[in-house]
Amino acid sequence: MSGFSTLSALILVPALAAVVVMLIPERRRELVRPLGVILSLLPVAPAGVLFLEFERGKAGFQFVERVVWIEQLGVAWHLGVDGISLLLVVLTTVLVPVALGASMGVDHRVRLFVAMNLLLEAGLIGVFLSLDLFLFFVFFEVILIPMAFIIGIWGSENRIYAAIKFFLYTAFGSALMLAGIIALAFIHRDQTGEFGFSYLAMLDLELGVTAQRWLFGAFALAFAIKVPVFPLHTWLPDAHVEAPTAGSVLLAGVLLKLGTYGLLRFNLPLFPEATLDFVPLLATLAVVGVIYGAVVAIVQPDLKKLVAYSSVSHLGFIVLGTFALTSQSLKGGVVQMINHGLTTGALFLLVGILYERRHTKLIADFGGLASSMPVFAGMFLFIAFASIGLPGLNGFVGEFLILMGSYPALPFYTVIAAVGVILAAVYLLWAYERVFTGKPTNPANQGLADLSIGETLVFVPLVALIILLGVYPKVALDVIGPSTDAVLARIEATTGYEAPDPGGPGLILSGGGE
């Protein structure tokens, strides 16, 4: 399979599948859900081809394709994949069918629901594959539409408020990023004589420190909102609580990674000197997010909101690893993007299944569920252990690499962030105790149906990947390593910065400056 057909198929297949679903006649609506799940599985094949044929040990983009789109503006359908984006593409193709398969509770406007999820998949994959900044921005904006619809149409009581808040927050950040992209295009024209948006060409631009700082800010704010970084996180709990299960799974599993991916893909390589200047600010906000998200999660009475605030905490680790600027921390950050997508996505699935049975998410309404739902309780505990970072499961690998890689560069920040690991055990295990242990005192909790065979099958790929990445992380690190090392090498080559020795503490700003 050629690079063109593989990368384009990953974007076009789910987009065309959305059209096919919408063309199903209303009288055959019973076909919509099973056909939607089947069609959502189609991108798994080209993603598998990419993973198997991807050449390990190479840092550059592979399977590159480029077709001129808008010649007058220098815009091209320019796609490529490297070790940073490959696993995120695979994660997306896994989570979409999982999310659709777990959405049996959606009983109105099913065609539109399935189509919106497929369109969201196309946009997400497009973001990870784009090597043209204009094309990247198009996909970055396209995903707002289906996610806003998913929250606003199929969400809970305050769904309209949550959808509008989500849209306004992310649209504001995107507007600033668009200004930055346009500025880069004009700088490219001034330095090369050609107007264009090629990411690879932007890497060769000569940008002064002041220009880098302004452009870094424009890009970083858009990505920080998407992560979301504290204090720009307030849209996230509302979106998660009001979204249907599929929306929460894809929001936590993939959509939030657009922010962490964008910081690593664009801010660090394009604006290396500004990156060094912004390390103290971003590291501070990351650590505050780790602790704040965990503490607020502990006191949440709503189980779904607890998981939502856990995302704020876990994503703070990823931002810390990104701006610690060491080989281990960058690898750990990308690994943790994948790990968070698997574990938090699975937690939202479990909360959604529980809500369908009891129609409440309040922790106080439960208790003693392990007696009537032993398989469900076991699955919840397993996923909770993975999210906490139990050795042998995927969460441990990412957090360990981030903490080990961040300490030589940012020892003070790392020690504080490590407290977040302990707090994660507190909020998840305490929630488990209140929901599942003891004797059921509420009659409504007695006789609840355990996980069905179909529901259990939905978790199989997630559990398999959680175990695989926990016991054999080399399968991911071999892919990620060369690309993250190349980002670090670029920063070192263009600024004089030297990554601290892994054996001991160092100063992150030793090589920065005007």
Side-chain angles (χ1 to χ4, degrees):
M1 187 177 289
S2 69
F4 180 85
S5 58
T6 304
L7 299 189
S8 293
L10 280 165
I11 300 172
L12 298 178
V13 166
L16 293 174
V19 176
V20 171
V21 168
M22 290 301 295
L23 293 176
I24 298 175
E26 183 64 25
R27 65 179 184 276
R28 303 305 303 274
R29 59 183 302 176
E30 72 278 1
L31 298 177
V32 172
R33 201 185 309 273
L35 181 61
V37 173
I38 292 172
L39 292 175
S40 71
L41 287 168
L42 295 180
V44 175
V49 170
L50 282 184
F51 185 79
L52 293 175
E53 294 187 356
F54 187 84
E55 292 187 50
R56 276 66 172 170
K58 290 189 176 182
F61 291 94
Q62 301 181 33
F63 304 93
V64 176
E65 64 173 84
R66 186 179 187 278
V67 178
V68 175
W69 180 15
I70 307 174
E71 186 173 359
Q72 294 85 347
L73 297 178
V75 176
W77 178 267
H78 191 186
L79 306 176
V81 65
D82 69 348
I84 297 172
S85 56
L86 175 59
L87 295 181
L88 290 167
V89 170
V90 174
L91 176 68
T92 305
T93 63
V94 170
L95 285 184
V96 171
V98 166
L100 285 176
S103 299
M104 297 304 167
V106 175
D107 56 4
H108 66 286
R109 307 183 74 172
V110 179
R111 283 188 306 176
L112 184 60
F113 176 78
V114 174
M116 287 295 103
N117 278 273
L118 292 169
L119 182 61
L120 179 63
E121 179 179 16
L124 290 168
I125 294 175
V127 166
F128 295 133
L129 296 181
S130 295
L131 293 182
D132 182 282
L133 269 66
F134 183 90
L135 185 64
F136 169 83
F137 180 79
V138 169
F139 284 124
F140 197 80
E141 291 298 283
V142 161
I143 62 172
L144 297 183
I145 300 171
M147 181 52 72
F149 272 106
I150 290 170
I151 298 171
I153 296 177
W154 296 278
S156 302
E157 183 179 353
N158 295 319
R159 59 187 180 275
I160 301 300
Y161 167 78
I164 292 174
K165 191 174 183 180
F166 160 77
F167 190 90
L168 291 179
Y169 263 72
T170 50
F172 172 74
S174 298
L176 294 177
M177 184 174 66
L178 177 60
I181 290 173
I182 293 173
L184 280 174
F186 275 100
I187 294 173
H188 180 269
R189 185 200 63 179
D190 293 341
Q191 294 187 8
T192 67
E194 297 181 0
F195 198 83
F197 295 88
S198 170
Y199 169 75
L200 299 178
M202 298 298 184
L203 293 173
D204 295 328
L205 296 180
E206 296 181 5
L207 300 174
V209 175
T210 300
Q212 285 194 35
R213 288 170 179 163
W214 280 102
L215 291 169
F216 183 101
F219 278 76
L221 185 58
F223 298 138
I225 291 173
K226 192 75 75 176
V227 171
V229 171
F230 177 91
L232 305 171
H233 67 285
T234 57
W235 65 268
L236 180 63
D238 291 318
H240 269 314
V241 170
E242 302 302 328
T245 298
S248 292
V249 170
L250 296 180
L251 181 61
V254 188
L255 197 113
L256 302 185
K257 308 310 179 302
L258 301 187
T260 51
Y261 170 79
L263 290 170
L264 180 57
R265 169 67 74 217
F266 296 99
N267 283 78
L268 269 62
L270 291 176
F271 320 116
E273 291 188 83
T275 294
L276 299 179
D277 294 335
F278 278 92
V279 162
L281 174 62
L282 271 300
T284 299
L285 295 180
V287 171
V288 171
V290 169
I291 304 302
Y292 168 84
V295 170
V296 176
I298 290 174
V299 300
Q300 287 305 311
D302 184 298
L303 188 58
K304 194 172 187 182
K305 188 168 284 190
L306 182 152
V307 179
Y309 276 104
S310 78
S311 281
V312 176
S313 182
H314 284 296
L315 288 161
F317 276 104
I318 299 173
V319 176
L320 175 64
T322 300
F323 285 92
L325 300 181
T326 70
S327 178
Q328 284 183 325
S329 72
L330 290 176
K331 291 184 182 74
V334 179
V335 168
Q336 197 63 1
M337 291 186 210
I338 308 303
N339 294 339
H340 177 267
L342 296 171
T343 56
T344 306
L347 285 173
F348 277 118
L349 281 177
L350 290 164
V351 173
I353 292 172
L354 194 58
Y355 179 77
E356 289 180 4
R357 283 160 169 69
R358 281 284 280 111
H359 300 290
T360 179
K361 295 169 291 196
L362 295 178
I363 296 174
D365 291 338
F366 299 107
L369 293 187
S371 60
S372 57
M373 307 174 70
V375 177
F376 183 92
M379 183 67 72
F380 193 100
L381 187 60
F382 173 81
I383 301 299
F385 280 148
S387 182
I388 291 168
L390 187 73
L393 301 178
N394 64 336
F396 173 77
V397 177
E399 288 184 353
F400 181 79
L401 284 173
I402 289 173
L403 294 175
M404 285 291 293
S406 298
Y407 183 77
L410 301 167
F412 176 73
Y413 295 92
T414 306
V415 170
I416 297 176
V419 177
V421 178
I422 301 172
L423 296 178
V426 173
Y427 62 70
L428 280 173
L429 295 182
W430 189 32
Y432 181 87
E433 177 192 12
R434 289 176 287 167
V435 172
F436 294 101
T437 64
K439 294 182 179 180
T441 57
N442 189 334
N445 294 325
Q446 298 176 358
L448 291 179
D450 206 347
L451 285 179
S452 66
I453 294 176
E455 289 170 334
T456 304
L457 290 175
V458 169
F459 287 95
V460 168
L462 303 182
V463 170
L465 289 171
I466 286 171
I467 295 174
L468 174 64
L469 293 174
V471 300
Y472 192 64
K474 188 175 185 293
V475 69
L477 294 175
D478 282 351
V479 173
I480 296 167
S483 295
T484 54
D485 286 344
V487 172
L488 184 58
R490 175 176 171 80
I491 294 174
E492 292 180 326
T494 54
T495 65
Y497 162 75
E498 293 183 10
D501 184 350
L507 292 176
I508 190 68
L509 298 179
S510 59
E514 296 285 342

